[in-house]
Structure formats: C-alpha cells, structure tokens
C-alpha cells in the first residue's frame, strides 16, 4: 500500500455498476452497491447519474465527493454503516432527495454542512450512531421531515426548532446523555404487574389440588411463625389461592 494512502477497497467497474441497477416495483431504478468493500466513491458511477436511488451502505467510504451533485434525480440515498466523517456542501444540491440515511458513520456536528438545510423535500433523515455533540438549529428549516433519527450520539440538548418541526411524527433520541433521560426510573409496583388472581372455595377444588394448596399454605404459615412480620394482615380462612401446579385442573376451580 503506498505511503499516506488509505485502503483502496474493491474496484467497481462500470460493468459491475450497470449490473447492479435494479428496477423497483414503483418504477424507480436503484443502484445497489451495498457490502461491496468500496472505500472510494467510484467515478464510473457518473455514467449512471440518472438513477433515482443509490444504496452504498455497509462499505468503507470515508468521503462523499462533490461530484454527488451530478445525481440530480436522486430521491433516495442510503450511506449507513460506512466511515464518513463529513458531508460535502454539494449534498445540498440534491433538491429531490426525500430519504437520507447516514446512520452508523463518524459524523461530527462540524461535518454537517449548512447546505444540508437546502434539502427542503427531505422526509426521512437518519443521523443515529454518529459522533454528534449538538444538533444544528438550522435543521428546523427542513419542514417536510417526518422521521428524524438522532439516537446513539453525544447530545445533551435537542433544539426547539427541531422538536417543533411541523410534520415530525417520529423523533428517536434514545441513548443520548439528555437530562430528561438522566432521571432514575421509578420503582416498579409488582402488584400492578399481576394479570389475574383467582380466589376459590375449598369445596371447588379437587382432592389432589386441595392437598397441594394446603401443603403450600402450611409451609407459608411455618415461615411466618419464624419470620417477624405484621400481625394485622387480613385472613380469609374459607378461601384458597391455587398453586401453579393446579393449572391443568383450573376449569374445576375457576370462578365462572
């Protein structure tokens, strides 16, 4: 490997790229180059600049070149799971883009160009699993955003301009050091988690179930005798709570 150069990755030829174009059910053409070991954006893709969708996810890309502006028909762009640390200003020229997935990269706040806010038709933007410390308030100008992923970053605040996006339906900010997530969880009331409790009369139990329940009750009373506890607990002498072993015979003791 030449000194000073990073990994070259797999070389993508124009023939390989053409064979990777798929026509979707909606008529769009998607260039599928996911998991191809690509480290440098292939210039040969300029020959296919009229495609509507590009999938370059799960590669080794570090940079997206400014030649991305040649793909003016792009509606859908998936770049998740690469090594991208910054976006080029030319990203803002893709005015038809509605879906942009940048999840699981190395983007910092500084690596998000102001031109990103020019994508006024963007509806889905995924910036999760990156290295963001703040969210640019200018993202609040993306009025068409419906789904915004900011999870697994280092965010301590979400700007009001982003929270109040008019069409925002899903905002994922999980696993960030946000103050609202720093509160201790309230203790769980285990009583509230009980789905059902059946109380039956002894006469409604079969002999085997009755003996089992009485044995369990006797054991419980023995433990109560040797364990300090409150003496004012209510008593229900004529009622028995069936043990789980009586499940098979539950129709015999369940209250109709």
């Amino acid at each position: 490997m030449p000194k000073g150069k990073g990994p070259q990755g797999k070389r993508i030829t124009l023939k390989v790229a053409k064979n990777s174009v798929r026509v979707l059910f909606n008529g769009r053409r998607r260039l599928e180059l996911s998991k191809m070991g690509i480290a440098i954006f292939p210039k040969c893709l300029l020959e296919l600049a009229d495609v509507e969708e590009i999938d370059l996810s799960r590669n080794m890309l570090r940079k997206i070149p400014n030649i991305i502006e040649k793909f003016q028909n792009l509606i859908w762009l998936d770049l998740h799971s690469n090594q991208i640390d910054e976006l080029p200003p030319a990203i803002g020229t893709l005015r038809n883009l509605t879906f942009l997935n940048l999840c699981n990269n190395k983007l910092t706040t500084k690596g998000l160009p102001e031109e990103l806010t020019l994508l006024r038709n963007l509806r889905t933007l995924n910036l999760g699993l990156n290295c963001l410390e703040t969210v640019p308030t200018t993202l609040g100008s993306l009025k068409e955003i419906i789904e915004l992923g900011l999870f697994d970053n280092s965010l301590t605040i979400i700007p009001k301009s982003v929270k109040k996006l008019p069409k925002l339906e899903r905002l994922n900010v999980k696993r960030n050091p946000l103050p609202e997530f720093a509160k201790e969880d309230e203790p769980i009331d285990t009583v509230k988690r009980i789905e059902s409790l059946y109380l039956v009369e002894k006469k409604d139990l079969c002999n085997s179930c009755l003996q089992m329940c009485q044995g369990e009750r006797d054991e419980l009373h023995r433990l109560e005798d040797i364990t300090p506890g409150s003496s004012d607990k209510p008593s229900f002498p004529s009622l028995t709570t069936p043990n789980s072993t009586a499940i098979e015979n539950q129709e015999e003791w369940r209250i109709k």
Side-chain angles (χ1 to χ4, degrees):
M1 181 185 300
K3 186 177 180 180
K5 291 188 177 181
Q8 298 299 304
K10 182 177 179 180
R11 182 172 178 268
I12 300 298
T13 64
L14 180 58
K15 181 179 180 180
V16 170
K18 286 183 176 180
N19 289 335
S20 300
V21 175
R22 305 286 183 268
V23 179
L24 307 181
F25 70 93
N26 55 10
R28 294 181 189 172
R29 291 160 302 158
R30 177 181 294 182
L31 178 55
E32 297 183 349
L33 293 174
S34 180
K35 296 183 289 187
M36 297 287 285
I38 303 171
I40 298 176
F41 191 91
K43 291 185 178 180
C44 68
L45 299 188
L46 290 175
E47 297 293 329
L48 302 170
D50 58 345
V51 295
E52 292 86 10
E53 301 188 5
I54 294 180
D55 183 359
L56 280 166
S57 64
R58 298 185 178 93
N59 282 294
M60 300 183 293
L61 291 169
R62 294 182 179 275
K63 303 289 182 184
I64 299 299
N66 275 314
I67 58 174
I68 194 70
E69 66 184 2
K70 301 295 184 181
F71 295 80
Q72 286 299 303
N73 290 338
L74 270 189
I75 297 174
W76 191 93
L77 178 58
D78 193 346
L79 297 169
H80 85 267
S81 302
N82 279 282
Q83 303 292 320
I84 302 169
D85 56 9
E86 65 176 350
L87 295 175
I91 195 75
T93 66
L94 305 180
R95 305 297 174 83
N96 292 316
L97 209 60
T98 63
F99 176 96
L100 178 57
N101 189 355
L102 293 161
C103 174
N104 194 22
N105 277 284
K106 295 184 177 181
L107 286 168
T108 62
T109 305
K110 187 178 179 180
L112 297 179
E114 186 176 349
E115 288 80 2
L116 189 64
T117 61
L118 298 176
L119 302 178
R120 299 299 172 86
N121 288 312
L122 206 57
R123 297 177 183 176
T124 298
L125 175 60
N126 193 344
L127 293 169
L129 279 167
N130 277 285
C131 307
L132 303 178
E133 295 183 350
T134 59
V135 178
T137 57
T138 51
L139 288 186
S141 63
L142 299 176
K143 305 298 184 183
E144 297 297 316
I145 287 286
I146 296 175
E147 183 173 6
L148 179 58
L150 297 171
F151 55 91
D152 291 288
N153 280 286
S154 301
L155 305 175
T156 56
I157 188 172
I158 305 297
K160 289 183 179 179
S161 61
V162 173
K163 287 182 178 180
K164 294 184 178 181
L165 284 166
K167 296 186 179 180
L168 187 63
E169 295 179 2
R170 293 179 293 277
L171 174 61
N172 189 343
V173 295
K174 294 180 179 179
R175 294 176 295 279
N176 278 284
L178 295 164
E180 52 262 48
F181 292 101
K183 299 177 182 178
E184 294 185 2
D185 294 335
E186 295 183 3
I188 298 175
D189 184 351
T190 54
V191 174
K192 294 179 180 179
R193 298 178 63 188
I194 296 176
E195 294 183 0
S196 5
L197 177 64
Y198 296 102
L199 297 176
V200 297
E201 300 247 2
K202 291 181 180 179
K203 63 182 179 63
D204 294 323
L205 289 174
C206 63
N207 289 334
S208 59
C209 292
L210 179 59
Q211 291 176 4
M212 179 68 70
C213 290
Q214 287 176 334
E216 293 287 341
R217 186 179 62 180
D218 293 340
E219 179 65 14
L220 179 61
H221 288 166
R222 186 184 70 79
L223 292 174
E224 288 178 345
D225 290 339
I226 63 175
T227 304
S230 174
S231 60
D232 59 352
K233 294 180 180 178
S235 176
F236 303 95
S238 64
L239 296 178
T240 303
T241 302
N243 186 270
S244 60
T245 56
I247 289 292
E248 294 181 358
N249 301 300
Q250 58 183 318
E251 291 303 328
E252 298 184 27
W253 48 255
R254 179 179 289 124
I255 296 177
K256 301 297 183 180

